[in-house]
């Protein structure tokens, strides 16, 4: 088992779906990469990092060098060098605390007062992991309940753009546990999300994440829990 963990960590392998699109069973499946990466070529590595950072900004910008380093796990020195090669093609902004932020030209930049509809985020959703300062999404009081000590990042619900609780599929719907009281409009939005999610999971794994039920057994500081109809 130890050898296999090392092989799948460092060998040129791709994680392959085992069923319909976006379906990964408990038995992991891998295939050999079509083209072996050149690991000892610093120029190729730098070019690859630049491509990765631009793709990251397309999905999660505006973001700082610290954010990019957090998401890619690349050293900040290398991230700064890659940003310098990209800078002419990036938009430079200033965060609320004066931090330099980068984004791609033409990316949407909603006004701070733009409503953020309720959302159900998947486990390990990239939005929860995309920034060095995760308080942009996760209130500090809730972080330990969503990102567990072993790194498990639980499926979360967003209300007004911030994590407000956790969710999981159960036998008769989507169980939503809110960490603070939610208005009726938020519950209506979450119900719509649950209905759409149920249809998505039906042909895949209706009880996805059940192997993580032990976190629910340990309890959450939920002020209200509802089971919303799925599908």
């Amino acid at each position: 088992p130890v050898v296999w963990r090392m092989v799948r960590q460092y060998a040129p392998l791709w994680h392959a779906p085992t069923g319909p699109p976006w379906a990964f069973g408990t038995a992991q499946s891998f295939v050999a990469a079509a083209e072996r990466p050149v690991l000892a070529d610093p120029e190729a590595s730098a070019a690859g990092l630049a491509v990765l950072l631009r793709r990251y900004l397309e999905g999660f910008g505006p973001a700082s060098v610290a954010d990019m380093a957090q998401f890619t796990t690349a050293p900040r020195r290398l991230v700064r060098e890659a940003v310098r090669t990209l800078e002419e093609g990036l938009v430079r902004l200033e965060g609320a605390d004066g931090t330099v932020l980068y984004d791609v030209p033409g990316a949407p930049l909603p006004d701070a007062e733009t409503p953020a509809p309720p959302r159900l985020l998947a486990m390990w959703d990239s939005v929860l992991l995309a920034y060095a300062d995760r308080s942009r999404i996760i209130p500090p009081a809730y972080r330990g309940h969503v990102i567990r000590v072993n790194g498990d990042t639980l499926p979360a619900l967003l209300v007004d753009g911030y994590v407000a609780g956790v969710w999981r599929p159960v036998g008769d719907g989507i169980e939503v546990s809110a960490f603070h009281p939610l208005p009726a409009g938020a519950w209506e939005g979450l119900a719509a999300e649950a209905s759409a999610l149920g249809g998505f999971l039906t042909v895949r794994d209706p009880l996805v994440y059940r192997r993580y039920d032990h976190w629910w057994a340990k309890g959450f500081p939920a002020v209200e829990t509802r089971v919303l109809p799925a599908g």
Side-chain angles (χ1 to χ4, degrees), residues 38-136:
V38 181
L39 302 180
D41 185 341
E43 291 186 3
S45 296
L49 180 58
V51 171
L52 176 59
L53 293 182
R54 184 173 179 87
R55 295 287 179 86
Y56 165 81
L57 291 174
E58 288 172 356
F60 302 108
S64 67
V65 167
D67 293 328
M68 291 182 251
Q70 168 72 31
F71 188 78
T72 62
T73 70
R76 291 193 187 187
R77 174 182 60 82
L78 297 181
V79 171
R80 290 191 188 95
E81 292 174 2
V83 168
R84 278 196 290 270
T85 68
L86 294 169
E87 198 158 9
E88 288 188 5
L90 299 178
V91 176
R92 186 181 174 113
L93 304 167
E94 184 175 313
D97 60 354
T99 300
V100 176
L101 303 175
Y102 297 93
D103 207 347
V104 293
L109 195 63
D111 183 81
E113 301 304 317
T114 302
R119 290 287 184 258
L120 296 177
L121 298 184
M123 193 165 184
W124 292 296
D125 194 287
S126 294
V127 169
L128 302 177
L129 304 173
Y131 306 103
D133 178 10
R134 293 179 182 170
S135 65
R136 292 173 63 172

Side-chain angles (χ1 to χ4, degrees), residues 114-196:
T114 302
R119 290 287 184 258
L120 296 177
L121 298 184
M123 193 165 184
W124 292 296
D125 194 287
S126 294
V127 169
L128 302 177
L129 304 173
Y131 306 103
D133 178 10
R134 293 179 182 170
S135 65
R136 292 173 63 172
I137 302 290
I138 309 174
Y142 299 159
R143 177 167 174 163
H145 302 298
V146 176
I147 301 179
R148 309 302 293 199
V149 293
N150 69 338
D152 282 351
T153 302
L154 302 184
L157 54 114
L158 290 190
V159 175
D160 292 330
Y162 289 95
V163 167
V166 293
W167 65 270
R168 62 173 173 170
V170 293
D172 51 353
I174 304 297
E175 181 187 275
V176 175
S177 298
F179 294 162
H180 59 256
L182 302 180
W187 282 111
E188 291 172 3
L190 292 171
E193 284 277 288
S195 178

